[in-house]
């Protein structure tokens, strides 16, 4: 199957006053149609930067894609002109759901105007009536009750969960092949989180959209993702089917992440907190970036480990993966 | 919203009363108008009679109460000099002043909005620096000086524009620029910083992510948000225009209220000064009330009482 999105060796640089950072440093992954890939990691691991890089929405000035490719529909988005990207790609074939529903909608325009915007810009609806009808239909698809009556309302008249539905409606309006969702549920109440995840699953069934879900919440990742990529300090350290990542994590960092989640029904074992801080990206360690915090560190860790293939598309960038690690755990 | 509005109306009325008190006292500190009205050799008896007829012999608080009572009934007294009701004189000259102020304010916006927007979009560029310099120039030079320089260049040297008077649209150009250049600096700064905030916001990024063209993002989605602080300031700028027009009208011999009041001041024509200043205060308060109301049109959150 041709992947809906294929990212290869993506390097993103951020020029700050204290130097050039690489929040995304050689990231590769792919997502198939109708598949959900979860990118998990701590804050500052480069998840959000990866997601902004895919649509080339990096902060300006200072942010840029230094190298690598982002391929959707056979075209490398990193090589398109800004105009072409806006006209034919953003919102049309690859879209994004931003993190905070309270700030992602323009306060002075109606919800109908904003949800209709992608239809208008990509000429999927011409004329005011068609755009309104289209916007109402999309709001219906994100399960907003009586959508026609809410088109002329403003964002502040919607609750947080409803706003996130509106944002999601903007993202799916043109039925893109890929949707990037950056922490779409982390600012919502837990009960609403469950509904949103349910909604994404239904939208995916209906449209076959490939979803890249960025989250720091392993519970959310477990409930919706087919595959998981674990990010640490700008690199993907482990990737594989969700089932395998949760049952047999191969990278010590993934294990530490999983150990920090409380679980129901398990005998009250103390949650382990991971000591130390992620490395300074202005001056990353030369070898394995997790080594300074790793309990299983060995001499070889001074060199960056290659991805060890563990079968079923599972791989981990750790010298111990596939052999000693299993015994050590 | 209604109680908020009522509160603002009450505050406005208080300001008007305050203004009337201040102007009444200050004009009376400037000297005795009767001395200017009569020839120096006029007999004592006549001077006293004139003073009595103008109620200038009463204690000052009685004079003020009489003035306030009459003013409430629309009577500001008769101009000592022109021998007509002071209010009629002011109202006759008011349209010219409002016309000049509105054109000046429009000029400042026409410059400040694009300058502010483009400065924010291309921050740190040569345009950003040019806009800042141009705006500062207007703030650094007094408006009568700008007026005189323009008269020298465009009227005397080039002969493009009339140096003084009113009547044709060409007459308003130079006074409006002289008057409207001053607030350009502050307005450009407001628009620029508001645009910088807004362009960095999540909703603009969201708009970009659905494929909105950059031009639409900047001039439609961002500008309407950035306009809120600008509109907030318009009442203040309009007042600055009215105040500034007193001097500019004299420079360009513009037949407005400001020039009339300045002339009246020189001849201690108290009723005209009082009527003019009080009227400015009323216009100022009304302009600010209108601004308060206009928020609702721009920002739906205020319209819906949040």
């Amino acid at each position: 199957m041709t992947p809906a999105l294929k990212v290869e060796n993506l390097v993103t640089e951020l020029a700050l006053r204290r130097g050039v950072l690489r929040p995304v440093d050689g990231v590769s992954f792919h997502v198939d149609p109708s598949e959900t890939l979860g990118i998990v990691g701590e804050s500052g691991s480069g998840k959000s930067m990866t997601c902004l890089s895919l649509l080339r929405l990096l902060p300006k000035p200072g942010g840029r894609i230094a190298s690598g490719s982002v391929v959707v529909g056979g075209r490398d988005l990193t090589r398109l002109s800004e105009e072409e990207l806006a006209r034919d790609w953003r919102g049309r074939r690859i879209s994004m759901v931003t993190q905070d529903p309270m700030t992602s909608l323009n306060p002075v325009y109606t919800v109908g105007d904003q949800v209709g915007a992608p239809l208008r810009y990509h000429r999927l609806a011409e004329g005011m009536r068609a755009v309104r009808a289209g916007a109402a239909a999309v709001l219906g698809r994100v399960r907003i009750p009586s959508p026609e009556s809410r088109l002329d309302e403003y964002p502040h008249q919607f609750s947080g969960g409803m706003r996130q539905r509106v944002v999601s409606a903007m993202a799916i309006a043109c039925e893109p092949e890929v949707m990037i969702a950056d922490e779409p549920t982390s600012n919502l109440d837990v009960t609403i989180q469950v509904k949103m995840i349910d909604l994404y699953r239904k939208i995916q069934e209906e449209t076959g959209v490939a979803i890249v879900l960025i989250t720091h919440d392993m519970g959310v990742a477990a409930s919706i993702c087919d595959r998981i990529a674990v990010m640490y300090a700008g690199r993907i350290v482990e990737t594989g089917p969700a089932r395998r990542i949760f049952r047999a994590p191969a990278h010590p960092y993934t294990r530490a992440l999983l150990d920090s989640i409380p679980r129901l029904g398990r005998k009250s074992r103390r949650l382990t907190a991971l000591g130390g801080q992620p490395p300074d990206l202005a001056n990353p360690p030369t070898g394995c970036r997790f080594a300074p915090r790793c309990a299983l560190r060995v001499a070889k860790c001074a060199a960056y480990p290659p991805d060890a293939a563990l079968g079923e598309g599972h791989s981990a960038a750790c010298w111990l993966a596939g052999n000693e690690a299993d015994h050590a755990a | 919203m209604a109680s908020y509005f009522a509160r603002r109306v009450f505050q406005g009325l208080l300001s008007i009363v305050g203004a009337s008190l201040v102007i009444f006292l200050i004009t009376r500190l400037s000297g005795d108008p009767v001395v200017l009205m009569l020839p120096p050799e006029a007999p004592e008896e006549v001077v006293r009679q004139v003073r009595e007829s103008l109620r200038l012999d009463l204690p000052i608080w009685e004079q003020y109460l009489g003035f306030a009572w009459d003013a409430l009934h629309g009577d500001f007294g008769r101009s000592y000099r022109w021998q007509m009701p002071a209010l009629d004189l002011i109202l006759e000259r008011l349209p010219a002043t409002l016309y000049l102020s509105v054109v000046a304010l429009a000029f400042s916006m026409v410059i400040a909005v694009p300058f502010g927007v483009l400065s924010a979009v291309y921050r740190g560029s040569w345009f950003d620096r040019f806009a800042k310099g141009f705006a500062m120039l207007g703030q650094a030079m007094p408006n009568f000086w700008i007026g005189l320089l323009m008269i020298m260049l465009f009227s005397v040297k080039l002969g493009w524009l009339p140096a003084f008077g009113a009547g044709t649209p060409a007459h308003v150009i130079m006074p409006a620029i002289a008057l409207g250049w001053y607030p350009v600096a502050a307005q450009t700064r407001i628009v620029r910083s508001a645009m910088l905030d807004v362009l960095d916001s999540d909703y603009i990024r969201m708009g970009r992510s659905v494929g909105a063209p950059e031009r639409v993002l900047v001039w439609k989605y961002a500008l309407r948000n950035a306009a809120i602080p600008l509109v907030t300031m318009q009442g203040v700028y309009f007042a600055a225009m009215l105040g500034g027009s007193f001097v500019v009208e004299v420079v360009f011999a513009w037949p407005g209220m400001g020039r009339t009041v300045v002339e009246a001041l020189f001849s201690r024509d108290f009723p005209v000064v009082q009527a003019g200043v009080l009227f400015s205060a009323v216009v100022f308060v009304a302009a600010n009330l209108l601004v308060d109301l206009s928020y609702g049109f721009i920002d739906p959150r205020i319209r819906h009482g949040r």
Side-chain angles (χ1 to χ4, degrees):
Chain A
M1 196 182 327
T2 320
L5 166 71
K6 192 168 172 61
V7 178
E8 257 175 311
N9 279 317
L10 186 67
V11 177
T12 297
E13 287 184 346
L14 207 52
L16 299 179
R17 215 164 282 160
R18 62 194 182 101
V20 177
L21 304 189
R22 286 189 164 184
V24 182
D25 195 0
V27 162
S28 304
F29 60 84
H30 71 273
V31 206
D32 289 328
S34 292
E35 187 188 40
T36 301
L37 171 74
I39 299 184
V40 299
E42 291 168 278
S43 335
S45 59
K47 305 176 308 245
S48 289
M49 278 300 179
T50 304
C51 134
L52 292 178
S53 304
L54 300 180
L55 279 146
R56 285 179 34 197
L57 294 171
L58 291 165
K60 295 240 155 131
R64 70 180 195 104
I65 293 175
S67 62
S69 62
V70 175
V71 177
V72 177
R75 293 290 297 274
D76 181 356
L77 303 189
T78 64
R79 293 178 187 283
L80 297 177
S81 72
E82 191 61 31
E83 288 73 30
E84 199 180 350
L85 191 66
R87 195 183 61 230
D88 298 333
W89 299 84
R90 282 188 193 139
R92 177 71 190 86
R93 302 187 65 175
I94 176 167
S95 66
M96 184 175 86
V97 176
T98 45
Q99 208 171 90
D100 188 351
M102 305 314 269
T103 58
S104 297
L105 294 170
N106 197 325
V108 301
Y109 283 93
T110 62
V111 161
D113 181 290
Q114 296 182 63
V115 175
L119 299 172
R120 237 173 17 242
Y121 299 131
H122 299 298
R123 302 187 189 287
L124 297 183
E126 303 262 7
M128 232 177 63
R129 264 184 202 193
V131 172
R132 276 181 73 87
V138 180
L139 286 180
R141 279 177 49 202
V142 295
R143 275 64 171 183
I144 287 182
S146 50
E148 284 88 2
S149 68
R150 308 213 67 177
L151 287 178
D152 296 316
E153 291 184 11
Y154 288 89
H156 70 266
Q157 292 166 292
F158 285 67
S159 67
M162 282 295 155
R163 284 193 213 189
Q164 192 62 305
R165 281 172 199 257
V166 173
V167 173
S168 306
M170 290 172 73
I172 63 160
C174 300
E175 303 204 356
E177 292 133 78
V178 184
M179 179 169 92
I180 322 283
D182 184 2
E183 305 267 10
T185 59
S186 44
N187 286 302
L188 302 175
D189 293 343
V190 178
T191 48
I192 299 171
Q193 279 188 14
V194 174
K195 285 188 188 159
M196 284 308 295
I197 286 171
D198 218 43
L199 175 68
Y200 287 136
R201 214 181 270 135
K202 282 188 182 129
I203 289 171
Q204 191 170 52
E205 273 167 28
E206 288 164 12
T207 64
V209 64
I211 298 178
V212 177
L213 181 84
I214 304 215
T215 181
H216 65 270
D217 184 333
M218 293 300 260
V220 169
S223 62
I224 183 171
C225 299
D226 302 303
R227 280 189 306 120
I228 304 254
V230 181
M231 230 177 141
Y232 185 78
R235 293 192 175 172
I236 288 178
V237 292
E238 179 165 6
T239 177
R243 192 173 26 84
R244 291 204 42 155
I245 298 284
F246 284 102
R247 288 213 189 120
H251 198 284
Y253 176 65
T254 313
R255 254 179 258 143
L257 268 187
L258 290 172
D259 280 343
S260 64
I261 314 173
R263 284 183 212 190
L264 280 178
R266 185 178 277 192
K267 248 193 158 182
S268 67
R269 194 171 57 120
R270 267 185 83 92
L271 290 177
T272 6
L274 180 55
Q277 291 288 322
D280 178 11
L281 289 174
N283 189 18
T286 42
C288 173
R289 291 181 175 188
F290 186 61
R293 299 168 83 182
C294 185
L296 308 174
R297 181 174 58 237
V298 293
K300 264 200 284 192
C301 298
Y304 197 86
D307 281 337
L310 305 167
E312 291 185 58
H314 187 185
S315 68
C318 177
W319 290 108
L320 304 176
N323 41 62
E324 298 100 311
D326 292 327
H327 307 293
Chain B
M1 183 82 197
S3 76
Y4 167 76
F5 192 63
R7 205 162 63 235
R8 296 311 304 260
V9 170
F10 179 71
Q11 284 170 352
L13 289 176
L14 267 185
S15 316
I16 291 170
V17 171
S20 75
L21 200 57
V22 168
I23 192 59
F24 189 85
L25 294 176
I26 287 180
T27 46
R28 265 140 194 85
L29 288 177
S30 67
D32 186 350
V34 180
V35 175
L36 292 182
M37 289 161 76
L38 297 174
E41 65 277 11
E44 190 79 1
E45 181 60 27
V46 178
V47 172
R48 214 181 39 135
Q49 252 177 14
V50 172
R51 212 169 262 156
E52 262 169 35
S53 73
L54 297 175
R55 294 191 299 197
L56 290 168
D57 56 333
L58 298 172
I60 196 150
W61 60 272
E62 265 184 54
Q63 287 186 40
Y64 176 74
L65 287 182
F67 157 73
W69 181 253
D70 290 344
L72 274 179
H73 294 84
D75 178 8
F76 286 82
R78 294 178 71 82
S79 162
Y80 302 158
R81 186 174 160 212
W82 301 95
Q83 298 305 321
M84 63 184 286
L87 187 63
D88 291 0
L89 194 65
I90 293 299
L91 289 181
E92 196 184 291
R93 304 293 176 84
L94 179 72
T97 294
L98 286 181
Y99 172 53
L100 174 59
S101 296
V102 167
V103 175
L105 198 62
F107 164 78
S108 73
M109 299 272 275
V110 161
I111 301 291
V113 170
F115 270 34
V117 169
L118 294 174
S119 291
V121 173
Y122 304 107
R123 59 181 168 281
S125 67
W126 66 266
F127 181 85
D128 190 9
R129 285 192 293 273
F130 163 75
K132 194 182 277 172
F134 179 86
M136 291 297 275
L137 216 55
Q139 203 168 35
M141 294 190 288
N143 53 25
F144 67 86
W145 172 247
I146 296 175
L148 292 175
L149 288 181
M150 280 194 297
I151 290 175
M152 276 172 62
L153 181 61
F154 295 112
S155 305
V156 179
K157 275 231 162 106
L158 300 169
W160 289 353
L161 293 167
F164 60 84
T168 69
H171 280 96
V172 80
I173 296 175
M174 287 198 298
I177 292 175
L179 194 54
W181 200 346
Y182 179 78
V184 166
Q187 290 184 332
T188 304
R189 260 199 307 276
I190 290 171
V191 175
R192 182 180 183 273
S193 71
M195 281 297 284
L196 281 179
D197 278 353
V198 173
L199 285 174
D200 211 30
S201 69
D202 286 351
Y203 52 84
I204 292 300
R205 198 168 64 197
M206 188 66 208
R208 195 171 281 135
S209 84
V210 300
E214 214 53 28
R215 143 185 68 79
V216 176
L217 286 169
V218 171
W219 296 100
K220 181 182 171 189
Y221 288 116
L223 183 56
R224 184 147 170 195
N225 282 283
I228 294 170
L230 181 68
V231 171
T232 314
M233 298 301 292
Q234 288 319 301
V236 178
Y237 292 132
F238 191 70
M241 302 283 107
L242 285 178
S245 74
F246 282 48
V247 178
V248 170
E249 284 181 9
V250 173
V251 172
F252 289 96
W254 184 261
M257 190 178 80
R259 192 170 62 125
T260 307
V261 171
V262 170
E263 281 170 5
L265 206 54
F266 284 129
S267 53
R268 293 186 200 146
D269 195 349
F270 294 166
V272 175
V273 177
Q274 283 159 190
V277 173
L278 208 57
F279 206 85
S280 296
V282 171
V283 172
F284 175 51
V285 167
N288 273 302
L289 278 176
L290 276 179
V291 166
D292 284 352
L293 280 181
S294 70
Y295 294 154
F297 289 103
I298 298 183
D299 192 337
R301 287 168 296 186
I302 295 169
R303 184 154 69 234
H304 296 110
R306 274 188 54 169

